[in-house]
Amino acid sequence: MGSSEEARYNENLVEELKNDFNFTDVSLVTYEDLLNKHIRLCDRLNEFNVF
């Protein structure tokens, strides 16, 4: 979607679109969220000595 700042700025618009098109099960991920998920995955793989 974009940065966390962009997500906050467009939060109302995103909610309107999700409701208008019945996309209630869709969740958008920001760049920061994606990076944090990747870091968490790498940390977990490192704990199990996968790397």
Side-chain angles (χ1 to χ4, degrees), residues 1 7-21 28:
M1 161 169 205
R8 282 190 300 275
Y9 180 77
N10 294 309
E11 188 173 10
N12 292 335
L13 175 62
V14 169
E15 289 304 314
E16 279 182 41
L17 291 172
K18 284 171 67 174
N19 291 331
D20 287 348
F21 295 103
L28 301 176

Side-chain angles (χ1 to χ4, degrees), residues 2-48:
S3 67
S4 295
E5 183 178 321
E6 290 172 319
R8 282 190 300 275
Y9 180 77
N10 294 309
E11 188 173 10
N12 292 335
L13 175 62
V14 169
E15 289 304 314
E16 279 182 41
L17 291 172
K18 284 171 67 174
N19 291 331
D20 287 348
F21 295 103
N22 198 24
F23 290 151
T24 53
D25 293 334
V26 173
S27 62
L28 301 176
V29 178
T30 65
Y31 296 133
E32 290 88 350
D33 293 337
L34 189 59
L35 179 60
N36 288 332
K37 287 179 184 224
H38 182 74
I39 290 170
R40 183 172 175 255
L41 174 63
C42 288
D43 288 344
R44 291 181 70 197
L45 291 173
N46 193 33
E47 287 175 11
F48 292 108

